[in-house]
């Protein structure tokens, strides 16, 4: 039912995207308004062949959904699952005197509004209603001040959609042919994957260097707090001591001007400095000032929610969407960091109320966006309304409370005073017993006025990075002060490879390179995770070997399509179209057909003969004669024809020469156990994609007699197979074990004229009688259960859920930051999962029971909450056959009506 306010008929129809947004807005509008949702996009390019109208199916361009031969006209179809909603909107429009299109105010929202207008074909006045927050005043103002549709914004969005369609539908089939079926390529998705792969390549090529230095604990000898401080050796004999930044990625020094201490040299120097008297060579004091952070825009919100709350980008946007639609925050897809005068006044008022006027500057702070090509002006993400509600006043709970609190803190802090203090740099000198002049350095920081830091401190991607509110207080030192070394020790260090991207750091990298749009980053990262190009280890994004093969192909044969500058340039083109500085068709023609000597997409995907599929998917393991290959069923190692599978969750930089040799040394699983005494067939144990199993080797079929056809594969005898039980392993399974497994399913006899069998399924051992089943308590019962016991079990009501006592958790972690309840790792029907007793979330590829942290578990739970409850299943009384028939009938009816 549409959300109504006022008389039943209504004269003004307001269309928004989501039902929750419709419900909120309906409460703010007066009589005569009907507010209904389009439930997202109602029309798009066809997704599959069945969606293409019959009259276009013969066209050469139909599979693309874009007529590349005629002005790149898109073929739009109403989404099959939206036809009923479109009919409902048309019916409501019949009773309306005016139509207000109140979709989001960005380019995508403008395009949705345009599609609604095109499909509904209204005969009444149409208004474009825009707002950046859902509050009574904002909605009333939007109704009172509508505008016309901005067709330039629509053009820009539609150009993006067509570009992405052409890229995906033309390049993806190349991946299917040359790498693996059912892969996908995307204009920004593939570039994001390349970034992650390139970072892993840097890690693979990295050679660690070791270096040593000295750490001293100096004492002033005075009765003060503090009277001690630590300092690090910085120079010996006038030469700087090498630190990590002095080494190249190949492990060599970048310059010979520094002194490289190894363990022996460092320990020897420490001995020579025993008993040395030290003095302060210099003290440099500087005022410290830290200005507030700008209010959140989309990307900075995603980054901070990742660092502070453990949210994925997808979870952040889902929670922010709910906050926006329910009137708690302003629109969450924005490049802007500006605040309206009303918002500035609200933030300053709240800061004064909470911290006092001493913490608020005399003049309001004004922020200007530094993001190039920022999209249409919006406001920053902030609490909604003319007066901000404190988190405690909202009534929110869980993830919505935590994200609102983050936004509220950041907004209030943005209007507070600078933090000020003093930075101190101290150099300490001494002379060794052999006459060497050494120098130690130490830095400190004190904050004398915390200013905005009282309200908010930004997180950091690197856990070792000191946060802005951290202090290190040094004694009150002056040049010439005498010091003694209470402790002097040699410390070992090693350079580290560049850190893998996290969701937060990848978003920052994409934005810094001007690739994609903030509103798309969450879906991009979600896509490369879902497609198996990237998986997570903790919070780190790790590329799969499949991603290496895909990026290898794209770089070699579609180089400019995954070029960072080219991708960023395409964003500028879209901005130019939106701002009336470029036209859609010429830009699409240049991209697809090429121009001025540059090859277009069409030429690139036409000639595929030179692409060597095996070479594209093959990578040498450094220091060995082993090749890593990406096959149709996953990655494997190849050495002169000998093959071994590579675990799916093995990170590429962990596949070293020693690891490759270890994989080859493990049992392959193809172990001959003996012959079946009944059939004479050889029985072997194997390691398959779905786990270890046993099977029989059938003799080869003799060639058919002259004039006879070979037996069809479907009619040929099939080898018996059986998965190993949980108590078995490939190394110890025997012929007797295998024969028992191959005897399954085991027939016990009949009950009520129906055969009863004991079988082993993916959910464990069970008895089967027709369509009825009963679980067995253990795998051993598969071979011992009797028909009498089966009768007893089937005479009992079928148990719903698990009857056995709950197994103890595999691990116990810390408390979940949302529920406050302890998180544990448990074993479930579909594998291990984490739970806080309220929410369950399965471990994902790359997550290991032994290594998962509380932070990673909290992120999985947050992501699961953001996705909402699982959809309800159809009623049990409705059989699959009935449901299928009903669906077929419905399709036939719709087709007839169409």
């Amino acid at each position: 039912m549409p959300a109504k306010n006022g008389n039943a008929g209504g004269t003004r129809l307001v269309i928004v995207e989501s039902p929750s947004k419709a419900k909120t807005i309906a409460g703010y509008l007066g009589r005569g308004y009907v507010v209904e949702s389009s439930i997202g996009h109602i029309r798009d390019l066809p997704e599959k062949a069945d969606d293409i109208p019959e009259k276009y199916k013969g066209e050469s361009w139909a599979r693309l959904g874009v007529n590349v031969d005629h002005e790149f006209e898109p073929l739009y179809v109403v989404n099959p699952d939206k036809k009923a909603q479109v009919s409902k909107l048309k019916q409501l429009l019949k009773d309306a005197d005016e139509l207000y299109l109140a979709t989001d105010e960005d380019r995508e929202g403008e395009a949705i509004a345009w599609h609604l207008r095109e499909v509904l074909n209204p005969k009444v006045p149409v208004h474009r209603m825009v707002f950046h927050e859902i509050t009574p005043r904002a909605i009333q103002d939007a109704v009172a001040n509508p505008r016309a549709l901005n067709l330039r914004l629509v053009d820009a969005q539609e150009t993006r959609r067509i570009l992405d369609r052409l890229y995906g539908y033309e390049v993806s089939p190349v991946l299917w042919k040359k790498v693996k079926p059912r892969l996908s390529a995307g204009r920004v998705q593939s570039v994001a994957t390349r970034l992650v792969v390139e970072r892993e390549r840097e890690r693979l090529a990295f050679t660690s260097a070791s270096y040593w230095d000295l750490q001293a604990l100096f004492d002033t000898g005075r009765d003060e707090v503090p009277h001690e401080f630590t300092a690090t050796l910085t120079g010996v004999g006038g030469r700087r001591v090498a630190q990590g930044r002095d080494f190249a990625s190949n492990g060599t020094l970048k310059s010979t001007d520094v002194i490289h201490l190894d363990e022996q040299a460092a320990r020897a120097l420490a001995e020579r400095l025993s008993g040395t008297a030290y003095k302060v060579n210099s003290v440099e004091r500087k005022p410290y000032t830290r200005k507030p952070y700008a209010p959140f825009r989309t990307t900075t919100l995603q980054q901070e929610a990742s660092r502070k709350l453990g949210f994925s980008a997808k979870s952040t946007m889902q929670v922010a969407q709910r906050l926006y639609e329910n009137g708690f925050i302003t629109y969450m897809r924005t490049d802007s960091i500006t605040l309206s005068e009303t918002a500035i006044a609200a933030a300053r008022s709240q800061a004064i109320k909470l911290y006092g006027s001493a913490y608020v500057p005399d003049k309001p702070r004004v922020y200007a966006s530094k993001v190039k090509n920022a999209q249409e002006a919006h406001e920053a993400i902030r609490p909604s309304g003319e007066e901000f509600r404190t988190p405690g006043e909202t009534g929110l709970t869980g993830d919505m409370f935590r994200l609102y609190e983050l936004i509220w803190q950041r907004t209030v802090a943005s209007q507070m005073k600078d933090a000020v203090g003093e930075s101190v740099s101290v150099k300490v000198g001494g002379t060794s017993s052999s006459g060497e002049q050494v120098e130690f350095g130490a830095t400190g920081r004190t904050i004398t006025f915390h200013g905005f830091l009282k309200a908010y401190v930004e997180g950091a991607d690197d856990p070792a990075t000191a946060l802005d509110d951290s202090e290190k207080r040094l004694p009150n030192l002056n040049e010439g002060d005498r010091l003694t070394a209470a402790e002097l020790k040699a410390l070992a260090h090693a350079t580290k490879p560049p850190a893998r991207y996290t969701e937060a750091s990848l978003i920052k990298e994409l934005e810094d390179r001007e690739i994609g749009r903030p509103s798309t980053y969450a879906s991009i990262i979600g896509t490369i995770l879902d497609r198996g190009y990237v998986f997570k280890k903790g919070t780190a994004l790790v590329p799969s070997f499949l991603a290496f093969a895909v990026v290898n192909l794209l770089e070699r044969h579609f180089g400019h399509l995954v070029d960072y500058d080219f991708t960023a340039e395409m964003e500028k083109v879209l901005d130019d179209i939106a701002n009336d500085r470029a036209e859609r068709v010429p830009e699409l023609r240049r991209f697809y057909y090429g121009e001025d000597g540059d090859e277009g997409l069409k030429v690139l995907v036409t000639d595929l003969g030179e692409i060597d599929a095996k070479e594209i998917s093959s990578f040498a393991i450094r220091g060995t004669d082993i090749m890593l290959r990406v096959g149709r069923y996953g990655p494997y190692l190849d050495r002169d024809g000998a093959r071994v599978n590579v675990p799916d969750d093995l990170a590429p930089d962990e596949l070293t020469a020693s690891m490759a040799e270890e994989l080859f040394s493990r049992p392959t699983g193809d172990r001959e156990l003996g012959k079946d005494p009944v059939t004479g067939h050889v029985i072997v144990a194997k390691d398959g994609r779905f786990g270890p199993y046993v099977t029989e080797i059938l003799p080869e079929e003799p060639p058919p007699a002259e004039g006879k056809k070979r037996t069809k594969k479907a009619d040929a005898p099939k080898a018996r197979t059986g998965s190993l039980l949980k108590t078995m392993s490939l190394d110890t399974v025997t012929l007797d074990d295998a024969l028992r497994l191959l005897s399954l399913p085991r027939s016990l006899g009949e009950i009520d004229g129906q055969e009863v069998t004991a079988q082993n399924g993916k959910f464990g051992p069970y008895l089967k009688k027709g369509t009825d089943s009963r679980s067995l308590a253990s795998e051993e019962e598969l071979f011992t259960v009797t028909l009498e016991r089966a009768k007893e079990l089937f005479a009992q009501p079928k148990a719903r859920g698990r009857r056995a006592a709950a197994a103890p958790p595999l691990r116990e972690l810390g408390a979940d930051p949302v529920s406050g309840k302890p998180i544990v790792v448990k074993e479930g029907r579909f594998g291990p999962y984490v739970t806080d007793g309220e929410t369950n979330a399965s471990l994902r590829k790359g997550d290991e029971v032994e290594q998962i942290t509380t932070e990673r578990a909290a992120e999985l739970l947050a992501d699961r909450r953001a996705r909402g409850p699982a959809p309800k299943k159809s009623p049990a009384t409705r059989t699959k056959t009935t449901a299928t028939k009903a669906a077929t009938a419905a399709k036939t009816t719709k087709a007839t009506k169409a």
Side-chain angles (χ1 to χ4, degrees):
M1 291 293 295
K4 296 180 181 179
N5 191 336
N7 54 23
T11 56
R12 299 178 181 88
L13 175 62
V14 180
I15 302 179
V16 298
E17 295 101 318
S18 74
S20 60
K21 189 175 173 183
K23 183 178 179 181
T24 306
I25 291 174
Y28 298 150
L29 291 175
R31 294 179 60 83
Y33 288 91
V34 174
V35 187
E36 183 55 86
S37 165
S38 67
I39 317 179
H41 291 266
I42 62 163
R43 194 170 73 152
D44 198 3
L45 302 173
E47 286 296 321
K48 52 186 185 294
D50 290 345
D51 296 338
I52 300 172
E54 195 63 38
K55 68 177 181 178
Y56 296 113
K57 286 188 175 179
E59 300 290 345
S60 59
W61 50 266
R63 69 176 183 86
L64 296 174
V66 179
N67 189 345
V68 294
D69 299 324
H70 187 265
E71 302 294 294
F72 292 88
E73 288 181 358
L75 173 60
Y76 287 119
V77 295
V78 174
N79 302 342
D81 60 340
K82 297 294 175 65
K83 289 183 177 179
Q85 190 66 14
V86 169
S87 297
K88 182 179 182 180
L89 292 172
K90 286 182 176 180
Q91 189 63 40
L92 290 171
L93 187 58
K94 289 180 181 178
D95 299 324
D97 299 315
E98 294 177 89
L99 173 62
Y100 286 80
L101 300 174
T103 50
D104 291 339
E105 59 175 339
D106 57 10
R107 293 178 190 170
E108 185 175 10
E110 204 75 16
I112 293 175
W114 176 75
H115 280 293
L116 283 166
R117 190 186 71 175
E118 294 296 298
V119 172
L120 300 179
N121 192 24
K123 308 301 182 185
V124 297
V126 179
H127 310 289
R128 180 73 172 101
M129 175 178 160
V130 293
F131 43 88
H132 63 270
E133 62 181 337
I134 301 177
T135 61
R137 178 170 176 176
I139 297 304
Q140 293 295 342
D141 287 347
V143 169
N145 300 283
R147 62 168 173 80
L149 270 170
N150 187 329
L151 297 181
R152 297 307 303 182
L153 301 187
V154 174
D155 249 5
Q157 181 62 27
E158 296 311 289
T159 304
R160 178 188 296 278
R161 184 71 187 94
I162 294 169
L163 281 172
D164 291 344
R165 170 55 67 96
L166 295 175
Y167 190 116
Y169 274 46
E170 292 285 28
V171 178
S172 295
V174 179
L175 302 183
W176 305 343
K177 295 174 185 175
K178 301 298 182 178
V179 179
K180 186 180 177 180
R182 303 183 67 82
L183 295 180
S184 73
R187 189 176 57 86
V188 181
Q189 161 200 321
S190 298
V191 174
T193 304
R194 183 188 173 199
L195 279 170
V196 180
V197 168
E198 282 198 336
R199 180 58 57 87
E200 196 73 7
R201 286 172 179 165
E202 292 173 16
R203 292 174 64 87
L204 285 164
F206 184 82
T207 301
S208 182
S210 64
Y211 62 96
W212 286 67
D213 60 19
L214 302 181
Q215 186 182 81
L217 178 63
F218 290 120
D219 193 333
T220 64
R222 298 194 294 261
D223 185 15
E224 61 182 358
V225 178
H227 62 87
E228 293 180 327
F229 66 99
T230 58
T232 302
L233 181 70
T234 58
V236 178
R239 295 176 67 194
R240 187 167 59 81
V241 174
Q243 298 295 307
R245 64 180 180 275
D246 296 306
F247 293 89
S249 60
N250 62 2
T252 61
L253 281 170
K254 298 176 183 177
S255 169
T256 57
D257 294 339
V258 295
I259 181 170
H260 181 194
L261 295 180
D262 56 18
E263 180 179 8
Q264 182 179 354
R267 294 193 185 280
L269 179 59
E271 285 292 327
R272 296 195 297 275
L273 289 172
S274 178
T276 294
Y278 297 91
K279 70 172 183 176
V280 177
N281 286 345
S282 67
V283 178
E284 185 179 3
R285 292 183 171 86
K286 292 181 178 180
Y288 164 78
T289 302
R290 182 67 175 88
K291 294 184 179 298
Y293 324 104
F296 281 131
R297 60 180 188 272
T298 302
T299 53
T300 52
L301 176 63
Q302 290 170 344
Q303 291 168 51
E304 273 293 85
S306 174
R307 298 176 189 127
K308 286 181 172 287
L309 308 180
F311 289 2
S312 67
K314 182 178 179 181
S315 297
T316 300
M317 297 311 290
Q318 287 173 332
V319 176
Q321 181 86 33
R322 296 206 299 273
L323 287 171
Y324 166 66
E325 290 180 348
N326 286 281
F328 289 102
I329 65 171
T330 53
Y331 191 54
M332 66 287 161
R333 294 186 182 92
T334 175
D335 297 328
S336 176
I337 56 174
T338 61
L339 293 175
S340 66
E341 291 183 6
T342 302
I344 290 173
R348 287 170 61 84
S349 172
Q350 199 140 81
I352 291 171
K353 182 178 179 181
L354 294 171
Y355 304 104
S357 58
Y359 282 83
V360 179
D362 294 334
K363 293 183 178 180
R365 291 186 181 274
V366 178
Y367 295 91
S369 177
K370 296 180 180 179
V371 178
K372 294 181 180 178
N373 302 311
Q375 248 191 61
E376 293 66 46
H378 304 300
E379 216 179 327
I381 304 169
R382 61 163 177 85
S384 61
E386 297 176 27
E387 293 183 3
F388 296 164
R389 286 167 283 187
T390 65
E393 293 170 340
T394 61
L396 295 169
T397 59
D399 291 343
M400 290 178 72
F401 176 89
R402 298 172 70 208
L403 192 64
Y404 178 85
E405 182 180 47
L406 194 72
I407 295 166
W408 173 80
Q409 289 174 334
R410 178 90 165 211
T411 308
V412 171
S414 73
Q415 288 300 316
M416 293 174 66
K417 283 185 177 180
D418 298 346
V420 296
E422 183 179 66
S423 295
V424 182
S425 177
V426 176
K427 296 187 184 301
V428 177
T431 306
S432 72
S433 58
S434 61
E436 299 155 297
Q437 296 295 316
V438 299
E439 190 168 71
F440 290 80
T443 58
R445 181 172 72 190
T446 56
I447 299 176
T448 56
F449 178 73
H450 280 75
F452 76 93
L453 294 175
K454 282 278 189 180
Y456 188 82
V457 181
E458 191 170 70
D461 292 320
D462 184 357
T465 301
L467 300 181
D468 287 333
D469 64 341
S470 62
E471 295 184 81
K472 181 182 177 183
R473 193 175 295 274
L474 297 181
N476 186 21
L477 299 170
N478 293 294
E479 189 174 326
D481 284 354
R482 300 291 175 177
L483 304 172
T484 58
E487 187 180 83
L488 188 65
K489 55 186 177 184
L491 297 180
H493 306 276
T495 57
K496 296 180 180 180
R500 290 191 179 102
Y501 288 110
T502 61
E503 287 201 21
S505 59
L506 181 59
I507 286 170
K508 186 176 187 304
E509 185 72 19
L510 288 168
E511 185 177 41
D512 288 348
R513 291 178 179 268
E514 301 172 32
I515 293 170
R517 278 295 179 202
S519 59
T520 65
Y521 291 156
S523 63
I524 289 166
I525 292 174
T527 298
I528 64 178
L529 284 166
D530 294 341
R531 298 289 185 186
Y533 294 144
V534 172
F535 61 95
K536 281 190 174 183
K537 283 211 166 188
T539 59
L541 298 174
V542 184
S544 63
F545 293 106
L546 175 64
F548 271 72
V550 168
V551 170
N552 205 21
L553 185 151
L554 294 175
E555 286 177 334
R556 292 191 191 184
H557 300 280
F558 301 94
H560 85 282
L561 294 183
V562 288
D563 179 78
Y564 302 131
D565 292 338
F566 171 79
T567 308
E569 183 61 33
M570 289 308 300
E571 294 298 332
K572 295 176 185 175
V573 167
L574 295 173
D575 292 329
D576 286 343
I577 292 173
N579 293 306
D580 205 15
R581 295 191 297 263
E583 295 297 328
R584 178 175 66 89
V585 173
E587 296 298 341
L588 287 170
R589 186 180 295 116
R590 183 165 61 89
F591 173 77
Y592 193 70
Y593 289 113
E595 187 179 84
D596 298 332
D598 292 332
E599 289 183 318
L601 177 63
K602 179 65 174 176
V603 174
L604 294 173
V605 298
T606 301
D607 183 12
L608 304 179
E610 63 183 49
I611 300 179
D612 185 327
K614 186 175 182 180
E615 181 192 6
I616 284 292
S617 300
S618 300
F619 308 90
I621 305 299
R622 189 166 59 172
T624 72
D625 59 347
I626 301 170
M627 295 293 290
L628 179 284
R629 304 192 194 280
V630 179
R632 186 170 290 248
Y633 303 110
Y636 64 93
L637 297 178
D638 185 351
R639 174 192 270 159
D640 297 329
R643 296 183 176 186
V644 62
N645 291 333
V646 174
D648 285 340
D649 59 353
L650 184 68
D653 75 336
E654 294 172 5
L655 186 55
T656 59
S658 59
M659 173 58 77
E661 293 292 353
E662 181 185 332
L663 289 173
F664 266 110
S665 68
R666 294 177 184 176
T668 62
D670 292 358
R671 188 162 68 87
E672 187 172 319
L673 303 178
K675 290 187 176 182
D676 184 334
V678 177
T679 65
H681 297 163
V682 173
I683 307 299
V684 295
K686 292 174 170 283
D687 191 10
R689 292 182 64 204
F690 305 108
Y693 67 99
V694 293
T695 187
E696 61 184 338
I697 307 298
L698 299 179
E700 289 188 17
E701 180 189 359
E706 187 174 348
K708 298 286 185 179
K709 293 183 178 180
R710 183 177 292 275
T711 304
K712 292 182 179 179
K713 188 175 181 180
D715 299 329
K718 293 179 174 57
R720 295 172 295 162
T721 62
S723 296
L724 266 60
L725 303 183
K726 292 179 180 178
T727 55
M728 300 176 178
S729 72
L730 281 173
D731 298 335
T732 60
V733 66
T734 65
L735 177 61
D736 288 341
D737 292 332
L739 293 175
R740 293 175 79 203
L741 293 172
L742 295 178
S743 71
L744 299 175
R746 183 171 71 91
S747 177
L748 278 64
E750 291 188 354
I751 298 178
D752 299 331
Q754 291 185 307
E755 184 183 21
V756 178
T757 57
Q759 306 191 27
N760 199 19
K762 65 178 182 177
F763 303 132
Y766 67 101
L767 295 176
K768 186 172 189 294
K769 177 173 72 79
T771 59
D772 201 2
S773 64
R774 293 292 186 277
S775 295
L776 293 173
S778 69
E779 292 177 323
E780 188 58 34
E781 281 195 83
L782 287 166
F783 310 103
T784 61
V785 67
T786 63
L787 183 62
E788 287 68 28
R789 175 59 179 155
K791 289 179 180 178
E792 293 175 8
L793 291 174
F794 279 108
Q796 299 171 5
K798 189 170 186 178
R800 298 295 175 188
R802 295 193 171 192
R803 292 176 299 167
L810 303 177
R811 277 190 66 200
E812 296 182 0
L813 304 174
D816 180 69
V818 175
S819 67
K821 297 182 178 181
I823 303 175
V824 296
V825 186
K826 289 189 173 184
E827 184 66 47
R829 291 171 63 185
F830 306 106
Y833 66 97
V834 294
T835 179
D836 65 348
E838 297 177 355
T839 305
N840 301 340
S842 299
L843 269 61
R844 298 178 185 173
K845 181 178 176 181
D847 293 326
E848 297 177 8
V849 173
E850 298 78 12
Q851 297 180 2
I852 192 167
T853 62
T854 303
E855 291 73 19
R856 173 59 176 155
E859 180 186 353
L860 292 173
L861 292 174
D863 190 47
R864 184 66 189 86
R865 290 189 197 100
R867 285 186 278 125
K872 293 182 179 179
K873 294 182 179 179
S874 302
T877 54
R878 189 185 187 197
T879 65
K880 183 176 180 182
T881 303
T882 306
T884 304
K885 287 180 178 178
T888 305
K891 285 183 179 178
T892 305
T893 303
K894 286 180 181 179
T896 304
K897 288 181 178 180

